[in-house]
Amino acid sequence: MSNNDGVCIAVNEFAKDVGVKKFEPYFKQRELIERTGVTVFSSNFTLYGAVSDRIMQTVARLTPAIEIYSIDECFTDLTGISQDALKPLGHQLRDTVWKEQRIPMGVSISPTKTLCKLGQYAAKKIPKINGVAVLTQAHQWEWLAKRVAVAEVWGVGRRLNASLTAMGVESAYDLTQLGKGVARKLGGLPLERTVRELNGEHCIPFEFNPPSKQQIICSRSFGTKLYQLNDVLESVTTFSVRVAEKLRNQESLAGRVSVWLVSGQDQRSRLSAEASVNLPGGSDDSRLIAKEAIAIANQLFKPGCRYLKAGVGLVDIRPREFWQRDMLSSPVSGTKNLMPVMDQINSKYGRHSVKLARQAGAASFSMKQELLSPSYLTRWADLPRIIC
DNA sequence: TCTGGGGTCCTAGGACCC
DNA sequence: TCTGGGGTCCTAGGACCC
């Protein structure tokens, strides 16, 4: 399930077969789920992140260079590896990850990222491919593209899919035949690039050194609805501390902080209020960022409203070393070592080991996670036990 | 009762410059 | 009589991704 046990965001084959739907609210499917014996888990990104790190390390060990694209995907650059060696390498990757982590992994090898993503579809759906798709020749990817709906193409979302199918573009192959001018007009530069990539032209480059974030957000729906100012301020403080941590992690300063509060009775009557302020001279100090965020939240808060969700965001982010100081603001205070020390303690002894007083207990707004799986890889108490 | 969270890039349009 | 041409920067909104 999603955060807060709200919607089902991933379903396995068994669940799919009995009719459980992705992106449908849990409460609507609960009866079906319980009746059919489907097992449900709250999301546990600590666990998934730990498994992901291990797999990425395995892939990095066996390939020349890796770009971590998401928690469960990476690209590697196989330039210079001979044609004959590609498929064996693909199987070696897949087998090693299975052996070491017991996670089934698909491998797809081709000249462009978009074709790789197409190949992943095949690696997953077409059994005879055996988890490793090699699409290095035009006839290979054309064969596949004719069998894949245009909606499955990387870069074609809901809207583009609707426009494309209305024009009679139904398969990925149809999309490869779309003129560049038409593509450009319909979906701008991104779609033109998608068409080129599907034709084997390498347009989307590798990112071996991921650029730092330009925007850092922490936003959560509350486990229970909040009515009290103090509860809302506690959540906003905690979210501020989290974004400041992420900011320090990438060694940047932020020039602006914004806060939003979402209130209402239900989805239909949702109201969102947002405001932001500048941080003159930039900052990465949890205390300052929290102080500004609290001031904003104080202004946005309306007594009597029922609060569902809050968020804190940082924008105007630049590397610490290149930051242009504000001529009018006072110089950096003498406590510049405090944040690194807090980070070290929290990293060693666990998040929130030291915190701002205003963060308090976190219980008032914390997520609903009633069906949480154990954090097998990151919590001593959750280590599996063998009982003899 | 009840519907996630965190990002990126592109484009159009407005305000401004000389 | 008649009202240019070539730019930059910023922002909001829309599309996409996982």
Side-chain angles (χ1 to χ4, degrees):
Chain A
M1 284 183 289
S2 66
N3 279 336
N4 237 13
D5 293 351
V7 301
C8 299
I9 55 169
V11 285
N12 65 10
E13 286 301 323
F14 176 77
K16 216 178 290 177
D17 289 346
V18 300
V20 178
K21 292 201 187 68
K22 217 166 143 177
F23 300 118
E24 278 275 304
Y26 174 54
F27 76 91
K28 284 189 182 172
Q29 310 201 76
R30 187 167 179 167
E31 191 274 325
L32 171 70
I33 286 169
E34 286 172 358
R35 180 161 46 82
T36 51
V38 169
T39 311
V40 187
F41 297 98
S42 301
S43 52
N44 183 342
F45 283 94
T46 310
L47 172 62
Y48 313 148
V51 175
S52 172
D53 286 347
R54 293 179 174 204
I55 292 173
M56 297 302 174
Q57 280 170 30
T58 300
V59 176
R61 197 175 75 225
L62 298 174
T63 61
I66 175 173
E67 172 191 345
I68 297 173
Y69 176 64
S70 72
I71 198 161
D72 68 347
E73 287 173 290
C74 63
F75 292 103
T76 86
D77 184 2
L78 303 182
T79 306
I81 292 178
S82 76
Q83 188 73 26
D84 299 342
L86 292 176
K87 195 156 194 172
L89 175 59
H91 281 289
Q92 188 196 359
L93 283 164
R94 178 174 158 85
D95 295 345
T96 309
V97 167
W98 176 252
K99 188 174 152 209
E100 294 180 359
Q101 311 301 337
R102 277 298 186 269
I103 298 283
M105 180 177 79
V107 181
S108 165
I109 300 170
S110 65
T112 72
K113 285 183 169 179
T114 307
L115 284 172
C116 277
K117 295 279 287 187
L118 190 74
Q120 279 295 357
Y121 180 85
K124 202 187 280 184
K125 302 269 178 179
I126 303 176
K128 70 170 182 183
I129 286 182
N130 213 0
V132 178
V134 179
L135 306 174
T136 49
Q137 310 295 320
H139 69 87
Q140 295 170 317
W141 67 67
E142 281 170 12
W143 179 89
L144 180 59
K146 284 174 184 164
R147 287 158 180 79
V148 178
V150 72
E152 302 292 337
V153 173
W154 191 45
V156 175
R158 212 160 34 96
R159 301 297 288 267
L160 277 175
N161 180 46
S163 319
L164 287 166
T165 46
M167 291 167 58
V169 176
E170 282 171 5
S171 68
Y173 180 79
D174 294 341
L175 185 57
T176 66
Q177 300 303 299
L178 201 65
K180 280 167 195 159
V182 182
R184 182 68 182 243
K185 208 170 162 200
L186 193 67
L189 193 54
L191 188 63
E192 186 190 333
R193 224 157 23 199
T194 298
V195 172
R196 287 173 184 264
E197 285 240 324
L198 282 177
N199 281 298
E201 188 183 336
H202 179 48
C203 302
I204 303 171
F206 283 96
E207 302 265 12
F208 294 122
N209 299 307
S212 52
K213 304 280 182 241
Q214 300 176 40
Q215 174 183 314
I216 294 174
I217 287 172
C218 181
S219 137
R220 297 265 182 287
S221 298
F222 304 129
T224 55
K225 313 310 168 207
L226 300 186
Y227 295 89
Q228 303 298 321
L229 175 62
N230 261 338
D231 289 340
V232 171
L233 295 185
E234 276 177 20
S235 75
V236 165
T237 309
T238 299
F239 301 163
S240 303
V241 167
R242 182 73 194 115
V243 292
E245 279 168 4
K246 290 189 195 173
L247 185 67
R248 291 194 294 273
N249 231 330
Q250 64 168 40
E251 302 185 340
S252 303
L253 298 180
R256 196 167 176 85
V257 57
S258 67
V259 174
W260 55 97
L261 303 181
V262 179
S263 59
Q265 288 306 306
D266 52 43
Q267 285 301 302
R268 269 192 297 279
S269 65
R270 274 162 85 111
L271 267 179
S272 192
E274 186 269 345
S276 52
V277 293
N278 288 329
L279 303 165
S283 178
D284 66 356
D285 191 312
S286 295
R287 296 165 302 168
L288 178 69
I289 291 169
K291 190 178 137 195
E292 297 292 352
I294 287 169
I296 298 171
N298 254 313
Q299 285 174 11
L300 297 176
F301 182 85
K302 289 205 189 76
C305 275
R306 181 176 184 267
Y307 286 97
L308 310 169
K309 182 176 179 175
V312 175
L314 299 175
V315 287
D316 192 11
I317 291 171
R318 272 168 263 175
R320 193 149 51 196
E321 53 183 327
F322 299 134
W323 194 274
Q324 179 74 48
R325 289 271 180 78
D326 179 354
M327 191 172 77
L328 301 178
S329 71
S330 51
V332 176
S333 70
T335 59
K336 66 175 176 354
N337 292 327
L338 181 61
M339 291 299 124
V341 168
M342 277 183 70
D343 291 340
Q344 281 165 33
I345 293 172
N346 284 332
S347 148
K348 186 165 178 183
Y349 297 103
R351 195 175 283 171
H352 306 321
S353 293
V354 286
K355 56 190 177 185
L356 301 187
R358 181 129 234 173
Q359 288 180 255
S364 62
F365 65 87
S366 50
M367 288 190 292
K368 196 158 109 184
Q369 291 184 308
E370 287 170 354
L371 299 161
L372 193 62
S373 45
S375 295
Y376 296 111
L377 305 179
T378 50
R379 284 187 61 190
W380 289 112
D382 289 355
L383 283 183
R385 257 160 278 188
I386 298 170
I387 298 172
C388 299

